[in-house]
Amino acid sequence: MTLSFALTDEQEELRQVVRRFALERVAPAAESFNRERRFPTELVREMGQMGLFGLPFAEKDGGMGGDYLSICLAIEEIGRVDQSLGITLEAAVGLGAMPIARFGTPEQRQRWLPALAQGEQLAGFGLTEPGGGSDAGSLRTTAARDGDEWVLNGSKQFITNVGTELSAFVTVAAVVEEGGERAVTNFVVPTGTAGYTVGPGYDKVGWHGSDTRQLFFDDCRIPADHQLGESGRGLANFLEILSEGRIAIAALATGSIQACVDECVRYASDREAFGRPIGSYQAVAFKIADMQVQAELARTAYYKAAWLMAEGRDFQQAASVAKLYASESAVTAAREACQIFGGYGYTTEQLVGRLYQDAKILEIGEGTSEVQRMLIARSLGLPR
């Protein structure tokens, strides 16, 4: 057996295409739409036209028939120039469309997946609630059957891609009580449904170009055929989606680290202090060298997790390792990059300043660092 880390010709071509798009179209606009807290609708549409939202989905569902590593490569390259747009792509594919692809009936996939895979519409993933983030089992949103309809009541928070003009629906995890038993089942709630309200966007520390909202359900009625997946399997299905998503978050974090390397190499080669480029001083050069080590290891970790997933092997530990290492390294790299840039690094006109704002959430979203360590410990057989 030959061990190889080489991308296929198709994957490398995709990476280069996305890199050109990121540099030519995203980079010039990123500072502006982040400063204005504006969702970059036109860039999202262009990404849809490129087929990025359909990369891991079957052609019969309107997708590109690629693999999970391909979407991760695209997320990394977008994330190298703007993390907000990177998370928009990651959440739209991994959290919005993937539940339909994984758990939808043939009729549901035909109804909803093509528009998502082609980037014409976006969907959200409604799991987190005001009373519980990491404790996903403490859901309070409820669903009750009433004839041919389900009635939902409750709220969700920190939900991505639900308040834009492209937003089509949100998948919602809700508690169903039957015969004294509580079980979680998932549902599709279309945008505009009576009783479904999308709150205003959050004033976030970072990810200023990403759409993040609170959701409210007040006697929200949806047809019975909007149930997604088996009854009582909702939490397990959503946790499966989150496990896959950790690989993509690691790719997004890797993009952030690599961007720090790129920016610091450029700046440290041009900026002079005491008569020579600051990159000639070990104090600076060693910081950049450490960033490159972090980028290489983070990339290798998410490549491995994606490969295990594609091979049908157990990838849970690898996904947690990749997410944990890449996200924490992204925070470290962004902090050190700002230090190298000095005062300039503390402005959002510089990419490293925006990366510093954006990095912290990588340690929180789709499973905190603490949750990843807990999962890794459990995978080693340590007692609970």
Side-chain angles (χ1 to χ4, degrees):
M1 182 178 111
T2 301
L3 182 64
S4 174
F5 291 94
L7 301 177
T8 66
D9 291 342
E10 293 79 9
Q11 289 169 335
E12 179 58 30
E13 181 180 3
L14 168 69
R15 191 193 67 77
Q16 292 182 14
V17 167
V18 178
R19 180 63 176 161
R20 285 195 298 271
F21 169 76
L23 290 173
E24 296 171 5
R25 296 289 296 127
V26 182
E31 190 276 332
S32 175
F33 66 70
N34 276 278
R35 172 169 37 83
E36 297 169 4
R37 266 71 165 172
R38 172 171 51 85
F39 184 78
T41 303
E42 290 307 313
L43 289 173
V44 172
R45 291 187 191 277
E46 288 185 46
M47 290 161 60
Q49 293 167 0
M50 293 170 64
L52 301 189
F53 292 94
L55 280 170
F57 302 118
E59 293 181 8
K60 64 182 177 62
D61 292 322
M64 301 294 288
D67 55 17
Y68 203 76
L69 179 58
S70 294
I71 186 59
C72 289
L73 294 173
I75 291 168
E76 179 186 344
E77 293 301 332
I78 296 295
R80 281 177 71 177
V81 298
D82 183 64
Q83 289 278 293
S84 293
L85 198 56
I87 192 58
T88 297
L89 176 60
E90 190 278 333
V93 175
L95 300 181
M98 197 61 75
I100 305 298
R102 287 276 188 272
F103 312 118
T105 64
E107 293 75 20
Q108 289 173 332
R109 291 198 301 273
Q110 183 178 14
R111 182 190 310 179
W112 288 311
L113 196 51
L116 300 178
Q118 292 159 23
E120 297 171 357
Q121 296 179 343
L122 301 177
F125 179 86
L127 178 60
T128 302
E129 296 187 351
S134 296
D135 184 9
S138 64
L139 298 179
R140 295 183 179 178
T141 298
T142 62
R145 188 66 179 263
D146 184 13
D148 292 332
E149 295 180 317
W150 286 98
V151 183
L152 275 65
N153 283 280
S155 64
K156 302 290 180 179
Q157 69 176 7
F158 306 135
I159 311 303
T160 305
N161 291 339
V162 289
T164 79
E165 63 183 271
L166 302 178
S167 301
F169 62 84
V170 60
T171 54
V172 177
V175 174
V176 178
E177 295 191 9
E178 292 182 347
E181 298 286 333
R182 285 169 50 92
V184 177
T185 299
N186 298 332
F187 304 90
V188 174
V189 182
T191 301
T193 300
Y196 167 38
T197 303
V198 178
Y202 290 97
D203 186 10
K204 298 171 292 186
V205 172
W207 282 1
H208 292 145
S210 168
D211 177 75
T212 315
R213 312 276 180 145
Q214 190 170 9
L215 308 180
F216 304 93
F217 306 93
D218 184 11
D219 288 337
C220 175
R221 291 180 174 270
I222 56 174
D225 66 1
H226 282 39
Q227 177 179 325
L228 180 65
E230 298 177 31
S231 298
R233 288 283 304 170
L235 186 57
N237 288 348
F238 267 18
L239 292 179
E240 180 181 326
I241 292 296
L242 288 175
S243 294
E244 297 176 4
R246 287 168 188 145
I247 306 173
I249 291 292
L252 180 62
T254 302
S256 180
I257 304 166
Q258 191 63 60
C260 288
V261 175
D262 299 340
E263 292 297 295
C264 287
V265 167
R266 175 186 60 79
Y267 184 77
S269 299
D270 294 338
R271 172 72 166 172
E272 292 190 357
F274 307 104
R276 55 180 178 159
I278 63 172
S280 67
Y281 297 103
Q282 282 190 354
V284 173
F286 283 11
K287 288 181 187 295
I288 301 174
D290 287 343
M291 289 180 206
Q292 183 61 25
V293 171
Q294 292 168 332
E296 291 288 342
L297 293 179
R299 185 175 296 110
T300 300
Y302 92 69
Y303 276 22
K304 177 183 177 181
W307 175 78
L308 288 170
M309 178 180 166
E311 290 287 307
R313 304 189 188 191
D314 184 1
F315 66 90
Q316 309 294 329
Q317 185 194 86
S320 288
V321 167
K323 201 272 185 184
L324 175 64
Y325 181 79
S327 62
E328 294 195 343
S329 295
V331 173
T332 300
R335 185 183 65 247
E336 296 289 25
C338 286
Q339 191 73 17
I340 290 170
F341 270 68
Y344 294 111
Y346 202 59
T347 69
T348 54
E349 293 180 1
Q350 295 289 339
L351 175 56
V352 295
R354 299 198 300 275
L355 292 172
Y356 189 44
Q357 288 182 319
D358 294 335
K360 181 58 189 175
I361 188 61
L362 295 168
E363 296 181 313
I364 299 172
E366 298 198 36
T368 63
S369 292
E370 291 76 15
V371 166
Q372 303 317 311
R373 287 185 166 90
M374 178 186 70
L375 293 173
I376 293 167
R378 286 179 179 177
S379 73
L380 296 173
L382 292 171
R384 300 190 181 189

